[in-house]
Each structure stands twice: as C-alpha cells, then as structure tokens.
Amino acid sequence: MAKKIRVGIIGTGGIAHAHMRAYMKIPEVEVVGGADLIPGKAEAFFKEFGVENARCFTDFHDLLKCDLDAVSVCTYNSTHAECSIGAMEAGVDVLCEKPMSVTLEEGVQMTRKAKETGKILSIGFQPRYDPDMILVKDIVQSGVLGNIYYVQTGGGRRRGMPGGSFIQKKLAGVGALADIGCYGLDMALNSIGYPKPLTVSAYASNYFGTNPKYHPEADKFDVDDFSVAFIRLEGGIALDFRMSWAMHMDTMGDTLFLGTDAGLKVKSPGLGSTWGGAWDGTIGPIYLYQDVAGQCSETAVPLKNEGVDRFYLKVKSFVDAVAAHGPAPIPASQILYNQAIIDGIYRSSQCGHEVEIHIPEI
C-alpha cells in the first residue's frame, strides 16, 4: 500500500472546513494535525470531523515538526506569507488560500521562497475549475477575438459584507478588494495569459461598512467595501476593474473582452441573491459579437452547465501535484501579478493618483 500524503491545516476557522471536507474525500490523504492561535480551536475542529489522534497546536511551527508532506494555509490574510514561508522552509508543500498575501512585497517573498526551496506553492482560486470558466479561457485563447485591447471585469454584490476578521485591516489587510476582487481579476487575467501590470489608477471607499444602518460591526470596519481601477497591462491592454461588497445597484457590469476581430461578453451568473455576481463561482450566459458577411452578429455560446465541486477539484489538483512533486496547479509566480494589482489599487486609492507597479525579478 502506498504511503499516504500527510497533511496539516494551519488555521482552523471557516474556510478550513471546506479544505477538510475535500481532503476527507481523497483516499490518498491523511490529515494528521492542525494549528490555530486560539487555544482549543484546533481540537474542536477535528472533533467536529470525527478525526481522532490529530495533533493540535497553537503555534504553526510546532505543527510543521510533525513529518508533513503538505499544508493548507487557512489563516488571516495578514499571516498568509508568514505561514506559507515557514512551511516551505520546513520542506512542506503549500496550498494557500486566496488572496495570496496583503502586499506585493509579501507575495514576492513567498514566490522567491518557493523558487529557493523547490516546494509547491499553489494559491486557492477554485473558480478556475468550473467548466464554464474554462470555456471562457478557451474561447479567449483560441484567437477568435483577434488582438485583445480592453477587458472589463469585477462584478459585485448588492449586499454581501462579511464580518469578523474580514473587515479588520490588521487581519485582512484589505476588504472586498482581496476577498472577492481577486476572483474577478483572476478570471480576466487567467483568460488573457496573465500579462504583467504596469500602472494603476484607483478609487476605494467604505460608506456601507462604516454605517451602522448597513453593518452591525460598523465601529470595527476599517477596510474597503467598494473599489474601481484602471490598470494598464503589457501588450497594450487596458483593464477596467470594479468590485463591491455593497451598493445600491444590481450589478457592476458584465465581464467584457474586446478584440480586433470579435468581442466576448460574460454575464453575471444571476444567482437570484444579493450575494451573487462576484465571479467566485460559476458564470452566466456568454455571447460572442463579431461581423458575419459584413453584418454585425451576436451568438449565444452554449454553457456546459456541468455541476462540479470546484473546491474539491482545487484541493485534489494540489494533492496530485504533491504526489507528483509539482508543478503547482495555480503557481504563485502567476498570482503574484494578481497581488501586484491589488497592492497597486490599495496604494493608488490611498494617495489619490496613478501609481506604477514594479515587480522585482524572482
């Protein structure tokens, strides 16, 4: 019998439950322990899942001494870098939840450590495993659009502000921008091959989160609940981004890819919920716009509508990579550009003018 892949979970809060459910479906995996800053929380987590003999710690460094092959990093955004780097230094492969980090500098440190150690560092963007998300990328990459010069992405929720650690800068770093904005960025950037970002001009606000009328923890709310940005990318591509946790509107718009030969519209999934439309799941209808025999035409692209467990597929792809000794399914070297844009949007919104993005060599 082949040796099972020994996995630990760093941070046993909300998202860790999704990781645990996925790992428990994979026969080749044994989750052997976890770490959480709050005493007793890791023990309660494993008791909930009926996992006996799991080793539990309050310091993740102690967990890393348990002969692990891999870890899921499910901590506050502000500690993603520290935990991921520590794991790789201990010789352990890492699946880090999104966002990759809080700052570009942290993302660079993480990516360099993955290169230095040769360990896997994969970032958790499960929407990539949705068949219709894959379809969008396939269409864009097919060349049917010609040279792409403009992309609009983002989306947002009419109401969908979380609480707790999500709304505190010291824990989350940023708000809606990192929570769901990173999904909108990844959807667009992954489809066009992740060109390097060059400049960002952005605006952000938190009128809803800081108002007791809309949020019960308004007195603790010190992150963004809304942001918009104009980003210049290598290759002469303009990226128009917008994202919200709350607004008096039904949508922030569809995702658009404009090319010299055709255009592609990806509509919001229309989940029938004020929480929908953030590109953190599946998508809505797709339309291709092009000239046919000199006439403007609009073609509905059939969706696959295949019900898949995207989160399970994300975790399974990571496990498969660990077993095969790489490469990372969603490499940090790619998501670093996503993080650079988030960092740029934050900096630009703070200073009130356009900023340049400088990504050092890895």
Side-chain angles (χ1 to χ4, degrees):
M1 179 178 177
K3 177 180 177 291
K4 288 195 173 186
I5 295 172
R6 292 168 59 84
V7 173
I9 298 179
I10 303 177
T12 55
I15 199 62
H17 290 72
H19 282 254
M20 189 67 184
R21 287 192 293 269
Y23 283 128
M24 293 181 74
K25 294 178 182 178
I26 306 173
E28 303 89 344
V29 167
E30 179 184 8
V31 180
V32 299
D36 198 286
L37 289 170
I38 301 174
K41 190 172 180 179
E43 287 85 351
F45 175 81
F46 287 109
K47 183 177 180 180
E48 178 182 342
F49 285 99
V51 177
E52 300 178 358
N53 303 318
R55 302 190 64 184
C56 300
F57 307 92
T58 53
D59 188 330
F60 77 92
H61 292 98
D62 292 329
L63 173 65
L64 294 174
K65 299 174 184 176
C66 293
D67 186 28
L68 300 175
D69 299 302
V71 293
S72 279
V73 173
C74 304
T75 60
Y76 304 134
N77 298 346
S78 59
T79 59
H80 281 184
E82 175 189 0
C83 294
S84 297
I85 289 171
M88 289 184 285
E89 288 178 337
V92 177
D93 293 321
V94 176
L95 172 58
C96 180
E97 260 305 321
K98 61 79 193 168
M100 181 179 182
S101 58
V102 172
T103 67
L104 172 58
E105 181 181 1
E106 289 175 339
V108 169
Q109 292 171 355
M110 293 167 71
T111 307
R112 282 177 172 166
K113 186 59 64 174
K115 182 177 180 180
E116 172 191 321
T117 61
K119 304 311 297 181
I120 294 169
L121 175 57
S122 190
I123 312 301
F125 284 91
Q126 65 273 5
R128 286 203 188 187
Y129 296 91
D130 182 85
D132 291 314
M133 287 282 197
I134 296 171
L135 175 61
V136 170
K137 181 178 180 179
D138 287 345
I139 294 171
V140 173
Q141 290 290 312
S142 74
V144 68
L145 304 184
N147 293 323
I148 295 171
Y149 57 90
Y150 173 86
V151 180
Q152 172 182 300
T153 191
R157 301 166 177 166
R158 183 166 184 173
R159 294 291 184 278
M161 292 182 287
S165 63
F166 285 87
I167 64 169
Q168 300 176 56
K169 184 178 180 180
K170 65 180 180 181
L171 301 177
V174 287
L177 175 58
D179 178 39
I180 53 179
C182 63
Y183 284 131
L185 288 171
D186 188 65
M187 176 195 185
L189 295 170
N190 185 45
S191 295
I192 61 177
Y194 258 98
K196 187 176 182 180
L198 303 175
T199 65
V200 176
S201 182
Y203 165 89
S205 63
N206 57 6
Y207 291 117
F208 286 81
T210 56
N211 187 337
K213 177 180 177 181
Y214 298 109
H215 202 291
E217 299 177 87
D219 58 330
K220 301 178 182 178
F221 202 109
D222 61 355
V223 295
D224 58 283
D225 62 35
F226 174 86
S227 59
V228 292
F230 181 83
I231 302 118
R232 296 182 186 276
L233 305 172
E234 272 189 342
I237 302 173
L239 176 60
D240 180 354
F241 168 84
R242 66 283 301 272
M243 182 55 65
S244 77
W245 265 343
M247 58 184 174
H248 290 303
M249 188 53 60
D250 59 339
T251 176
M252 286 296 291
D254 305 318
T255 286
L256 306 177
F257 298 89
L258 298 186
T260 54
D261 295 331
L264 190 70
K265 176 188 288 186
V266 184
K267 297 188 69 65
S268 166
L271 300 178
S273 164
T274 54
W275 279 68
W279 312 119
D280 50 357
T282 186
I283 63 174
I286 306 174
Y287 296 94
L288 180 67
Y289 295 83
Q290 58 189 156
D291 289 355
V292 176
Q295 300 296 314
C296 295
S297 73
E298 173 186 336
T299 304
V301 180
L303 296 178
K304 296 185 177 182
N305 287 320
E306 298 173 4
V308 299
D309 186 338
R310 294 178 290 272
F311 210 99
Y312 166 78
L313 292 175
K314 173 180 77 173
V315 174
K316 181 63 165 61
S317 69
F318 171 65
V319 170
D320 290 344
V322 172
H325 304 291
I330 304 179
S333 57
Q334 187 180 73
I335 303 305
L336 184 61
Y337 286 5
N338 188 305
Q339 193 61 47
I341 291 174
I342 291 175
D343 181 89
I345 292 174
Y346 178 79
R347 290 188 292 115
S348 176
S349 66
Q350 290 293 301
C351 69
H353 58 73
E354 184 178 74
V355 299
E356 293 186 356
I357 295 178
H358 299 287
I359 302 174
E361 292 295 324
I362 302 301

